[in-house]
Amino acid sequence: MVDTLMMQRERTKQLAYLEENLVIGAVAFEVESQVRERLRHRSRLTKDDLPCLELLSNALQTELHIEVCKPQVAFHPLLRLVQHEDPKSFARACTAAMQFVNPRNGDDLFVAGASAAGAYIVVSGNVSYSPAIQKFDSNSTRCNGPLAQGTLLAESALWCHWTHVGNAKAEGDSQVLAIRGEALAHALTSRPSTSDFVAAYGRAFHKRLVAAHPPSTKYPDDLEVPFTDFGDLVGRMPIVARVWVASASLRMLIRETSSIFTFGKSVSAVCSQLIEEAESGRSIIALNSEGVAVRIVSVTVLDLRDQFDRVLVQLGKLQSGVAKEDCQLPAEKQVDGEAHMQALQRMLSTKFGLSPDSVQVQQTAQQVTIKASDRFGIGTKYLRNICRAQLARTPDVTSILASGLAPPAQDAADVGWGIPVQFRAHTVFTVGNRMYSWLDMADFEYLSSTAGSEDLKAWLNAVALRASRA
C-alpha cells in the first residue's frame, strides 16, 4: 500500500515536470514509460539504501565493505593472492578502489570510444557486451550476452590507459563492482613484495596487450585479451616473482587442504620440487579462479602445413630400436619465461633446422586442458598455444623435411610387414629419437584416434625394422 502511494506521488511529480517544461510527444511518452517501469522493479540493495549503516563506526563500515567485496574479486588469482599474503594492502584496495554500481535496465555501463575509468565485475543482473567492430574476427563469439556472474570487463584499464572498443549495457536491473585502476595500483604499493608482484603482472599484461593483433592473434577487446591467462602472465615474470607466486600458492594449499598430495613423499620435498620447477620456468604454481593451487604448464604446438595442405605430424618415438606410438603435432614446453613465439622459433631452429624466413605464422590460438599430475598429485593445467603456420616453398626446406627413413613405394615386404596401403609411400624422417611425416588432416585424425592405433603401430614397427637393418 505504501509503495503504491509512493509510485502515485512520483508519477504526479513527473507529469507536472513534463508539463511545466513543455515536453510532449515521443520523448514525454518514453520518459513516462521508463519511470513507470523502474518504479515497479526494485533494484539490488546498496549501502545508500540503508541509512542505518551510517550509525556504524567508520572502522566497522570499512570492514563491512571489505567483506562485501571479497567474494566478488576472489575469482581473480592476483587479488586472491594479495588477499591472503597481504591483507592490509587488500583492505586498502577494497576501500580506495572498489565501489558497487547499480545500472538500471537500458543504462550504458560504457560505450566504445570512451576513455576507461577502470574495470567492472558483473555481480548480478543482465549485462551484455558487444564489440564495436567485428570485421577483424569473423568467427568471434565475444559478443554473446548476457555475461556470466563474475565476468571481468576492461581489465586492460587496470594496467594502462585504455579506450573502450565495445559497448556494455544493462539489459535489466543489475549490479557491478567498479575497480579504479590508478587507485588500485596506489593501494597495492605499500609492501615491497606485493608491489613487485603487482608491477610484474601489470608489465606482463601490457606486453600481451600491445602484441595482440592479427595475424598471430585476435585483436583485444574489453572482454578478452589473448594469452593473458594468469599462468601465461606469471610465466613471463622474473624468477623472483614466479617463486613468490609459487610459494604463496603452496602456503595457501597447505593451510586450506587437509589431505596433502605427497604419495609417500614429505610435504616439504614435494613443495621443494614445485618451487624448483617455478624457478626454472618449466611450470608455474598458482591459484585458479576457485582459489585452488594448480600446476600450470605452457606448451607451444606447431601446426605446420606444406604446399599441399598436409600437416607435419610426430608419429612416435624410437627407444632402443623399439617404436612407441605417439601421434600428435610437434610440441615444445615453454621454459624460463619464454613467450609462445620464442618457443616456436626455438623448436623450428633446434628440431628442424629451419630459419624464421622458412615459415610464415598465420594465426595462434590457445587450448586449455586440466589433468591430474602423476608426479605431484595436484591438478595440472596445460596451456597449449597452437601456432598455425605455412611452410615456404624453397629447395632447402624441402630437403630438410624430406630426408630420413623413406620406405620404397614398391616393396613387396611392405605387405608382409602389414603396413597399411595408404601409408606405404609416405616418407618418415627422424629428429633425435622422434619420427615425423607429412599427413593429410584426415589421416592424422585417424592415426591419432583409437581406431587407427593398430595401423600406426604396424607402420612404425616396419620403420623401426628398416632402421635396424640400415
Side-chain angles (χ1 to χ4, degrees):
M1 184 67 178
V2 173
D3 288 344
T4 302
L5 291 174
M6 288 180 63
M7 288 176 62
Q8 289 176 349
R9 289 197 200 100
E10 291 298 326
R11 187 164 182 274
T12 300
K13 290 180 184 178
Q14 166 216 325
L15 292 173
Y17 175 82
L18 295 175
E19 289 177 1
E20 289 173 4
N21 289 277
L22 303 179
V23 179
I24 59 175
V27 174
F29 177 77
E30 183 66 24
V31 169
E32 186 175 353
S33 298
Q34 192 169 109
V35 168
R36 189 186 306 116
E37 178 190 353
R38 294 192 173 187
L39 284 172
R40 192 165 53 242
H41 293 91
R42 182 180 67 82
S43 61
R44 187 180 175 110
L45 287 174
T46 67
K47 179 181 175 182
D48 294 335
D49 296 320
L50 299 171
C52 59
L53 295 182
E54 297 297 328
L55 300 175
L56 303 177
S57 65
N58 290 337
L60 189 53
Q61 287 188 48
T62 298
E63 188 175 345
L64 176 61
H65 180 70
I66 294 169
E67 289 300 313
V68 174
C69 289
K70 275 183 182 179
Q72 310 308 329
V73 302
F75 78 96
H76 197 293
L78 179 144
L79 295 174
R80 193 179 187 100
L81 274 177
V82 172
Q83 176 189 339
H84 283 263
E85 292 297 303
D86 189 358
K88 290 184 179 179
S89 292
F90 179 79
R92 277 192 295 271
C94 289
T95 55
M98 302 180 193
Q99 180 181 6
F100 287 92
V101 179
N102 284 40
R104 305 296 295 267
N105 184 30
D107 287 349
D108 290 318
L109 193 59
F110 56 76
V111 296
S115 180
Y120 303 89
I121 297 174
V122 178
V123 177
S124 65
N126 186 343
V127 177
S128 66
Y129 175 79
S130 59
I133 301 176
Q134 300 184 44
K135 65 180 181 180
F136 298 115
D137 184 13
S138 59
N139 297 318
S140 176
T141 58
R142 292 181 285 178
C143 54
N144 290 346
L147 301 176
Q149 182 179 346
T151 298
L152 178 61
L153 283 162
E155 183 180 2
S156 302
L158 299 181
W159 314 113
C160 68
H161 295 291
W162 174 252
T163 298
H164 295 297
V165 293
N167 305 293
K169 187 174 185 177
E171 304 292 348
D173 289 352
S174 307
Q175 185 175 71
V176 299
L177 179 63
I179 307 175
R180 293 186 294 122
E182 201 169 317
L184 179 69
H186 183 73
L188 299 179
T189 56
S190 59
R191 183 173 171 181
S193 59
T194 303
S195 178
D196 292 345
F197 165 58
V198 172
Y201 181 95
R203 285 192 292 268
F205 189 99
H206 184 258
K207 285 181 179 180
R208 291 297 173 93
L209 177 63
V210 298
H213 55 77
S216 58
T217 72
K218 298 178 288 188
Y219 281 110
D221 61 19
D222 299 286
L223 196 56
E224 178 186 5
V225 176
F227 300 103
T228 53
D229 180 275
F230 188 68
D232 267 329
L233 297 178
V234 174
R236 297 285 287 146
M237 293 180 188
I239 292 177
V240 173
R242 295 202 302 262
V243 172
W244 185 87
V245 172
S247 301
S249 300
L250 290 172
R251 280 195 294 271
M252 285 186 59
L253 181 66
I254 294 171
R255 188 164 57 236
E256 298 180 1
T257 306
S258 56
S259 58
I260 303 300
F261 41 87
T262 57
F263 292 108
K265 303 176 185 178
S266 68
V267 174
S268 60
V270 173
C271 290
S272 296
Q273 290 175 355
L274 290 170
I275 295 294
E276 182 183 340
E277 284 209 343
E279 290 176 338
S280 66
R282 297 194 304 272
S283 71
I284 303 298
I285 309 302
L287 302 179
N288 61 15
S289 58
E290 287 77 40
V292 177
V294 295
R295 178 172 170 263
I296 303 172
V297 177
S298 294
V299 180
T300 293
V301 180
L302 175 61
D303 180 358
L304 182 62
R305 308 298 177 98
D306 68 3
Q307 58 183 324
F308 306 108
D309 201 35
R310 297 178 304 178
V311 62
L312 180 64
V313 175
Q314 174 187 298
L315 300 174
K317 304 175 184 177
L318 273 174
Q319 297 178 338
S320 302
V322 178
K324 182 178 180 181
E325 310 88 67
D326 185 18
C327 189
Q328 61 176 336
L329 296 177
E332 195 75 22
K333 280 187 179 181
Q334 295 168 216
V335 297
D336 199 22
E338 278 185 321
H340 64 280
M341 292 302 293
Q342 292 172 316
L344 175 64
Q345 297 301 335
R346 177 169 58 84
M347 186 195 317
L348 291 172
S349 174
T350 59
K351 277 193 174 181
F352 305 115
L354 295 176
S355 67
D357 296 336
S358 303
V359 171
Q360 180 183 4
V361 178
Q362 297 174 326
Q363 66 180 37
T364 59
Q366 189 174 81
Q367 290 181 349
V368 179
T369 57
I370 299 176
K371 300 179 181 178
S373 170
D374 294 333
R375 182 181 176 190
F376 299 108
I378 63 174
T380 298
K381 181 178 181 179
Y382 292 93
L383 305 178
R384 289 170 48 86
N385 302 311
I386 303 172
C387 300
R388 172 73 180 271
Q390 185 70 40
L391 187 68
R393 300 185 184 183
T394 58
D396 62 317
V397 170
T398 302
S399 63
I400 290 169
L401 292 183
S403 62
L405 304 173
Q410 306 294 329
D411 192 332
D414 289 344
V415 178
W417 284 339
I419 296 180
V421 174
Q422 66 268 38
F423 303 121
R424 290 177 189 172
H426 280 64
T427 298
V428 176
F429 60 95
T430 58
V431 176
N433 68 337
R434 301 177 193 275
M435 297 178 284
Y436 299 87
S437 187
W438 291 99
L439 298 178
D440 293 330
M441 182 55 69
D443 288 337
F444 169 50
E445 292 175 350
Y446 169 68
L447 290 175
S448 58
S449 69
T450 304
S453 60
E454 290 301 318
D455 283 344
L456 177 62
K457 183 176 182 180
W459 185 13
L460 295 188
N461 284 339
V463 171
L465 182 57
R466 285 182 182 279
S468 66
R469 293 182 176 182

